[in-house]
């Protein structure tokens, strides 16, 4: 079976799911054979860190023709054991630490195989306003749709809600119930159960939680989308929107979502019912981070150059009304201040840690980091924020180069001559949204 054959089988499953939206798939696991695992291996990220077993993608590939058949036999005989996820901690901007999970590479392959089957089915069920972790979707497509919806529906109010610790709080009994409505293959459900109960290994100590999905797991994003499809998306579409008096929309990217309403009364009704809805499924809406925002188009009589009052953050951008160069009111976006500070702090720390490296190597890495930042954040009306980051990088680089040992310091005059030879990149527009 070739990669093309695997894709054909997935298309056939997708077509059945599309034609029969009420069908429950009870036989899926037999599709996962050696060639299916090979395709899953091909689609698995090979640059991430190894898990608890210490096996890297390169080491696994050295004996791939032996490893994949052995893996298939364990899956076929039900002897596959899901290893715990290795946990590390990443420091956040506010001083707190965020857990990062590192699954074993072989476990990622199996999870990817299951995800391929689940995606073929659930991509036919998911709504178009759900954008997170889906093929052919991106944050920029969501941002474009958000702007179009706000303008097209003449939205006056935004419900900006935040789910507290979503991935760690998913109720597994509800998740299993939702899965069984579409996928009731015992082998697939047992595999998912193994991942949910595998636990984490933190500095050699194993721990287990009764809620949540595997940290860093390949399967976690689609399980989260399935859960929120039922808890939020389907409920909003079939129950909430028909009861509203005016136009409204929902836009979701993973667990980050906003609701736009034309009428204040509709927005307040949704804001009031959201905590009750999520509480029913073991989730909570953060009381401090969730808010109702007046986001209507400002009246014509407001002076030129003035910005609208209401703003909200979504997908790393602050959204606000402002005058265009032609004098029209338009929705503009700029890098959210929290993201701006985080990026600048990370670049400052990088310059400090690498100040003794060869200057050409430092320049190469800084250019890559800047281009990566520009690639995501360069959208219309955000040029100033990008130039601010570029200017900050120049000052940080010079500051730490100048604090190397005597004879290798870098006063500003010398640094300006260096920039003539090794200039920092300028922002280049990627997305016209």
């Amino acid at each position: 079976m070739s990669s093309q054959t695997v894709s054909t089988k997935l298309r056939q499953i997708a077509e059945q799911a599309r034609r029969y939206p009420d069908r429950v798939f009870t036989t899926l696991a037999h599709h996962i054979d050696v060639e299916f695992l090979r395709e899953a291996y091909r689609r698995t990220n090979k640059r991430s860190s190894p898990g608890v077993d210490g096996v890297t993608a390169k080491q696994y590939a050295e004996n791939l023709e032996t490893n994949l058949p052995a893996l298939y036999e364990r899956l076929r005989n039900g002897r596959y054991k899901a290893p715990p996820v290795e946990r590390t901690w990443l420091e956040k901007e506010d001083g707190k630490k965020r857990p990062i999970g590192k699954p074993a590479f072989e476990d990622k392959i199996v999870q990817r195989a299951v995800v391929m089957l689940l995606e073929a089915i659930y991509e036919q069920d998911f709504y178009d306003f759900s954008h997170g972790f889906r093929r052919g979707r991106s944050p920029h497509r969501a941002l474009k749709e958000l702007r179009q919806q706000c303008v097209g529906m003449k939205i006056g109010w935004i419900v900006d809600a935040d789910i507290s610790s979503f991935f760690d709080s998913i109720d597994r009994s509800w998740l299993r119930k939702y899965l069984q409505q579409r996928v009731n293959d015992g082998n697939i459900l047992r595999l998912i159960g193994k991942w949910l109960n595998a636990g984490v290994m933190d500095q050699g100590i194993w721990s287990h939680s009764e809620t949540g999905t595997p940290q860093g797991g390949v399967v976690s994003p689609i399980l989260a989308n399935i859960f929120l499809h039922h808890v939020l998306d389907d409920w909003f579409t079939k129950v909430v929107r028909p009861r509203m008096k005016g136009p409204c929309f929902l836009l979701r990217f993973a667990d980050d979502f906003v609701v736009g309403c034309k009428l204040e009364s509709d927005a307040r009704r949704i804001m009031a019912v959201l905590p009750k809805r999520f509480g029913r499924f073991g989730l909570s809406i953060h009381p401090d981070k969730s808010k109702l925002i007046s986001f209507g188009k400002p009246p014509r009589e407001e002076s030129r150059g003035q910005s609208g009052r209401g703003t909200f953050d979504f997908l790393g951008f602050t959204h606000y009304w402002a005058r265009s160069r032609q004098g029209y009111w338009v929705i503009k976006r700029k890098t959210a201040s929290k993201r701006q500070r985080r990026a600048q702090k990370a670049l400052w720390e990088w310059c400090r840690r690498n100040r003794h490296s060869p200057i050409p190597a430092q320049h190469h890495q800084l250019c890559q980091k800047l281009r990566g930042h520009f690639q995501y954040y360069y959208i219309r009306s955000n040029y100033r924020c990008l130039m601010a980051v570029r200017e900050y990088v120049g000052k940080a680089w010079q500051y730490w180069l100048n604090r190397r040992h005597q004879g290798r310091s870098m006063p500003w005059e010398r640094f300006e001559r260096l920039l003539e030879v090794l200039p920092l990149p300028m922002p280049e527009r990627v997305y016209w949204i």
Side-chain angles (χ1 to χ4, degrees):
M1 186 191 302
S2 64
S3 173
Q4 185 176 1
T5 307
V6 173
S7 298
T8 300
K9 296 185 74 172
L10 291 174
R11 283 197 297 270
Q12 290 173 348
I13 295 172
E15 178 62 20
Q16 293 177 34
R18 186 189 65 80
R19 292 179 61 187
Y20 307 103
D22 296 327
R23 177 177 178 179
V24 180
F25 290 80
T26 56
T27 55
L28 287 173
H30 69 279
H31 292 295
I32 303 179
D33 55 15
V34 175
E35 291 305 320
F36 200 95
L37 290 171
R38 192 185 308 279
E39 177 64 15
Y41 164 80
R42 190 186 68 81
R43 298 187 187 188
T44 300
N45 180 16
K46 301 172 182 61
R47 294 177 294 177
S48 53
S49 302
V52 291
D53 57 2
V55 177
T56 63
K58 183 178 180 181
Q59 292 170 335
Y60 195 86
E62 290 173 355
N63 297 301
L64 187 65
E65 298 308 316
T66 302
N67 289 333
L68 290 182
L71 174 60
Y72 167 67
E73 284 300 318
R74 280 180 282 142
L75 288 170
R76 188 173 66 88
N77 297 329
R79 294 185 292 107
Y80 181 79
K81 294 183 179 180
V85 175
E86 184 175 353
R87 175 184 285 171
T88 57
W89 295 88
L90 183 67
E91 187 173 344
K92 297 172 65 176
E93 187 181 66
D94 56 6
K96 298 180 181 179
K97 291 187 177 181
R98 179 166 62 93
I100 301 295
K102 297 190 294 183
F105 181 74
E106 186 175 67
D107 201 43
K108 290 182 182 178
I109 297 175
V110 184
Q111 290 191 33
R112 176 58 63 190
V114 172
V115 167
M116 288 160 59
L117 293 173
L118 294 180
E119 281 182 342
I121 297 169
Y122 281 99
E123 277 298 316
Q124 319 312 313
D125 298 348
F126 292 155
Y127 292 100
D128 284 340
F129 56 73
S130 170
H131 292 271
F133 307 117
R134 297 178 61 188
R135 289 181 176 271
R137 307 283 178 137
S138 70
H140 298 93
R141 177 172 171 176
L143 290 167
K144 181 178 181 179
E145 184 177 324
L146 174 60
R147 185 179 186 178
Q148 291 175 340
Q149 296 275 42
C150 286
V151 174
M153 293 187 182
K154 298 181 180 179
I155 294 300
W157 295 84
I158 293 289
V159 177
D160 184 12
D162 182 89
I163 308 174
S164 300
S165 303
F166 169 68
F167 284 91
D168 295 330
S169 304
I170 292 178
D171 188 302
R172 293 173 183 172
S173 61
W174 278 109
L175 176 60
R176 185 178 183 88
K177 178 181 177 181
Y178 289 143
L179 280 167
Q180 288 176 324
Q181 292 179 13
R182 204 70 158 111
V183 176
N184 202 18
D185 183 316
N187 291 321
I188 298 295
L189 294 178
R190 276 192 292 274
L191 273 175
I192 294 174
K194 289 179 180 181
W195 292 319
L196 294 176
N197 293 291
V200 297
M201 191 71 71
D202 191 346
Q203 297 180 347
I205 301 175
W206 181 84
S207 62
H208 173 260
S209 173
E210 296 296 330
T211 60
T213 56
Q215 283 186 356
V218 176
V219 75
S220 292
I222 192 166
L223 293 182
N225 269 338
I226 292 170
F227 193 81
L228 282 178
H229 171 77
H230 290 277
V231 173
L232 178 62
D233 302 354
D234 212 38
W235 168 73
F236 180 85
T237 302
K238 297 178 179 178
V239 178
V240 175
R241 189 156 53 191
R243 299 182 181 182
M244 297 295 103
K245 296 180 180 179
C248 62
F249 72 86
L250 168 66
L251 192 70
R252 182 172 68 82
F253 194 95
D255 61 326
D256 193 4
F257 70 94
V258 293
V259 179
C261 299
K262 183 176 182 178
L263 303 179
E264 180 181 359
S265 59
D266 289 343
R268 293 196 178 278
R269 287 180 65 189
I270 294 174
M271 190 71 177
V273 77
L274 275 177
K276 301 175 185 177
R277 174 65 182 179
F278 280 89
R280 179 185 172 189
F281 301 95
L283 301 174
S284 60
I285 298 294
H286 200 294
D288 298 325
K289 295 182 180 179
S290 302
K291 50 191 175 182
L292 185 63
I293 301 151
S294 174
F295 195 69
K297 181 179 179 180
R300 290 184 177 181
E301 57 269 18
E302 290 197 13
S303 60
R304 182 181 178 86
Q306 184 178 349
S307 296
R309 297 178 182 177
T311 67
F312 67 95
D313 291 348
F314 185 65
L315 297 181
F317 292 90
T318 297
H319 302 252
Y320 63 101
W321 282 95
R323 294 279 191 180
S324 67
R325 292 181 180 179
Q326 291 75 29
Y328 302 108
W329 283 110
V330 295
I331 296 176
K332 294 187 176 183
R333 286 74 54 89
K334 63 181 180 180
T335 307
S337 57
K338 183 178 180 180
R339 295 289 187 94
Q340 187 93 347
R341 290 193 303 268
R342 183 193 304 175
Q344 292 180 172
K345 181 180 178 181
L347 289 164
W348 176 275
E349 288 298 318
W350 189 92
C351 290
R352 180 185 66 82
R353 292 193 307 269
N354 294 274
R355 64 187 182 275
H356 296 298
S357 300
I359 289 180
Q362 291 188 50
H363 174 260
H364 178 72
Q365 289 293 321
L366 283 174
C367 287
Q368 284 190 326
K369 292 179 180 295
L370 275 175
R371 291 191 182 102
H373 183 84
F374 295 159
Q375 187 173 16
Y376 183 81
Y377 286 102
Y378 197 168
I379 63 175
R380 197 179 305 171
S381 74
N382 197 34
Y383 187 79
R384 289 184 179 179
C385 289
L386 301 186
M387 287 302 293
V389 171
R390 182 181 182 274
E391 183 179 351
Y392 185 89
V393 168
K395 292 179 179 179
W397 194 22
Q398 186 274 332
Y399 179 89
W400 287 112
L401 285 179
N402 196 40
R403 273 148 185 79
R404 300 186 298 176
H405 59 74
Q406 190 174 6
R408 297 181 63 196
S409 60
M410 184 69 65
W412 188 258
E413 295 78 11
R414 183 181 171 189
F415 181 71
E416 287 183 327
R417 293 195 297 271
L418 172 67
L419 288 181
E420 294 178 0
V421 180
L422 299 175
L424 295 174
M426 295 289 290
E428 295 181 3
R429 179 173 291 176
V430 180
Y431 302 101
W432 293 81
I433 59 174

